């Protein structure tokens, strides 16, 4: 009996290796009815979605749980905390079909604000959230008080957790510089940078309702206005229509319609 020519064996061998060593997708447990009720009660963004988008949001939340570890430090984790963290991750990337935070492995939840030494007791604690770097690379730290406040009715234009996840999106191209090159076409980069500097000047001249923390640098500007975009989209569209348009393009979604 004639054997197969060697040239035919190579692709068969490679195909066999693919099926042997391919990475299996992690199992994704669907959200429970209790989880969905919590989302509907506490996450305004989710509450206003139609039924098909709610299902897609739930799937993205479940996928986040399957790929990122969430741990409490000095605090007992609750289902509410976990769902608010996952929602903060999903909201900025909801316009993208298959986005995953490849630069994030874990989220640490602290009970309250912390300092640069990651201490959440004592004085000089004013950090509400942080994306880790150096030996903390791949980790995010959030204050539970800030996390919950961001989803409360009194939060206004602010949401600390969304702010930090936007930093991660910004960082995904290798530089946290306020220019998310993975999300914005090259031809729109210079107009976006120009708009950032124009808006920063308005904030410095007290001619803007954007949080003054945005003038810290371009990265903080992007994160701050993104909070505004997701928390008060109608107001941003009314007061800053050009900025709203640019952010709609960057995030591939129009929360104000």
């Amino acid at each position: 009996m004639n054997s197969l020519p060697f040239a035919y064996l190579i692709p068969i061998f490679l195909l066999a290796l693919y099926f042997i060593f391919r990475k299996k997708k992690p199992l994704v447990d669907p959200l429970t009815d209790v989880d969905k009720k919590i989302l509907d009660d506490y996450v305004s963004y989710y509450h206003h979605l139609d039924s098909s988008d709610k299902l897609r949001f739930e799937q993205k939340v479940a996928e986040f749980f399957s790929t990122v570890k969430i741990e409490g430090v000095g605090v007992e984790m609750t289902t509410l905390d976990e769902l608010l963290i996952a929602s903060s991750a999903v909201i900025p990337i909801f316009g993208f079909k298959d986005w995953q935070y490849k630069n994030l492995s874990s989220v640490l939840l602290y009970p309250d604000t912390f300092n640069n030494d990651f201490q959440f007791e004592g004085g000089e604690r004013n950090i509400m959230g942080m994306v880790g770097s150096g030996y903390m690379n791949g980790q995010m730290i959030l204050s539970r008080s800030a996390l919950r406040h961001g989803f409360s009715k009194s939060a206004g234009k602010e949401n600390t957790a969304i702010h930090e996840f936007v930093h991660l999106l910004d960082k995904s191209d290798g530089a946290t510089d306020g220019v998310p090159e993975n999300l914005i076409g090259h031809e729109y980069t210079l107009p976006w940078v120009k708009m950032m500097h124009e808006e920063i000047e308005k904030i410095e001249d007290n001619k803007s309702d954007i949080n003054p923390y945005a003038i810290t640098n371009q990265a903080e500007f992007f994160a701050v206005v993104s909070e505004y975009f997701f928390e008060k989209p109608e107001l941003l569209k009314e007061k800053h229509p050009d900025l709203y348009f640019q952010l709609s393009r960057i995030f591939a979604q129009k929360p104000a319609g």
Side-chain angles (χ1 to χ4, degrees):
M1 184 175 68
N2 292 331
S3 59
L4 284 172
F6 182 71
Y8 286 99
L9 292 176
I10 294 175
I12 295 173
F13 176 71
L14 293 175
L15 191 62
L17 285 178
Y18 168 75
F19 282 109
I20 292 171
F21 293 106
R22 67 175 176 168
K23 289 184 178 179
K24 293 182 178 179
K25 285 188 176 182
L27 294 175
V28 177
D29 295 325
L31 300 189
T32 67
D33 289 340
V34 172
D35 294 334
K36 296 173 189 177
K37 179 67 165 58
I38 292 173
L39 287 177
D40 207 46
D41 287 345
Y42 288 89
V43 182
S44 176
Y45 183 99
Y46 171 87
H47 177 78
H48 289 98
L49 295 175
D50 61 30
S51 57
S52 61
D53 279 343
K54 280 186 176 179
L55 177 60
R56 191 161 61 89
F57 191 96
E58 293 157 14
Q59 291 169 340
K60 285 183 176 292
V61 166
E63 287 169 4
F64 181 82
F65 285 146
S66 73
T67 57
V68 177
K69 188 175 183 180
I70 302 175
E71 298 179 89
V73 178
V75 65
E76 186 173 340
M77 292 294 303
T78 68
T79 301
L80 172 61
D81 295 323
E82 292 172 344
L83 287 169
L84 292 184
I85 290 170
S87 295
S88 306
V90 169
I91 288 170
I93 53 93
F94 194 64
F96 313 119
K97 185 178 179 182
D98 298 316
W99 184 278
Q100 288 189 346
Y101 291 94
K102 295 179 181 179
N103 52 352
L104 180 68
S105 58
S106 64
V107 177
L108 306 179
L109 188 67
Y110 281 18
D112 209 332
T113 52
F114 52 97
N115 60 26
N116 287 317
D117 295 321
F118 311 115
Q119 302 297 313
F120 51 85
E121 294 179 346
E124 298 298 321
R125 294 179 295 110
N126 59 1
I127 303 175
M128 296 184 289
M130 174 186 291
V131 172
S133 59
Y135 74 93
M136 291 288 288
N137 197 44
Q139 298 187 63
M140 177 185 292
I141 305 174
L142 291 171
S143 152
R144 182 164 74 173
S145 58
L147 170 70
R148 292 190 175 186
H149 175 70
F151 286 92
S152 69
K153 292 181 180 178
S154 62
K157 309 163 193 162
E158 299 176 7
N159 187 305
T160 295
I162 288 177
H163 180 111
E164 297 306 324
F165 277 102
V166 169
H167 276 321
L168 272 185
L169 289 179
D170 187 8
K171 188 180 181 180
S172 67
D173 59 19
T176 311
D177 57 3
V179 184
E181 295 180 24
N182 287 337
L183 311 182
I184 188 171
H186 180 70
E187 67 273 25
Y188 302 121
T189 299
L190 287 178
W192 170 243
V193 172
K194 183 173 181 290
M195 177 173 287
M196 281 198 290
H197 287 283
E198 289 173 350
E199 291 294 334
I200 286 173
E201 286 182 11
K202 291 177 185 177
I203 298 170
E204 290 174 335
D205 293 338
N206 294 317
K207 295 178 180 178
S208 175
D209 66 332
I210 295 172
N211 187 331
Y213 187 65
I215 68 174
T216 305
N217 53 48
Q218 288 185 179
E220 295 302 344
F221 177 87
F222 178 47
V224 167
V225 297
S226 296
E227 293 178 72
Y228 195 159
F229 177 74
F230 290 113
E231 290 298 306
K232 295 292 181 182
E234 293 84 4
L235 185 62
L236 181 68
K237 186 176 182 180
E238 175 190 340
K239 290 184 172 292
H240 309 274
D242 293 338
L243 184 56
Y244 175 85
F245 174 77
Q246 289 282 11
L247 291 169
S248 295
R249 176 183 281 157
I250 290 171
F251 291 111
Q253 50 181 308
K254 297 179 180 179

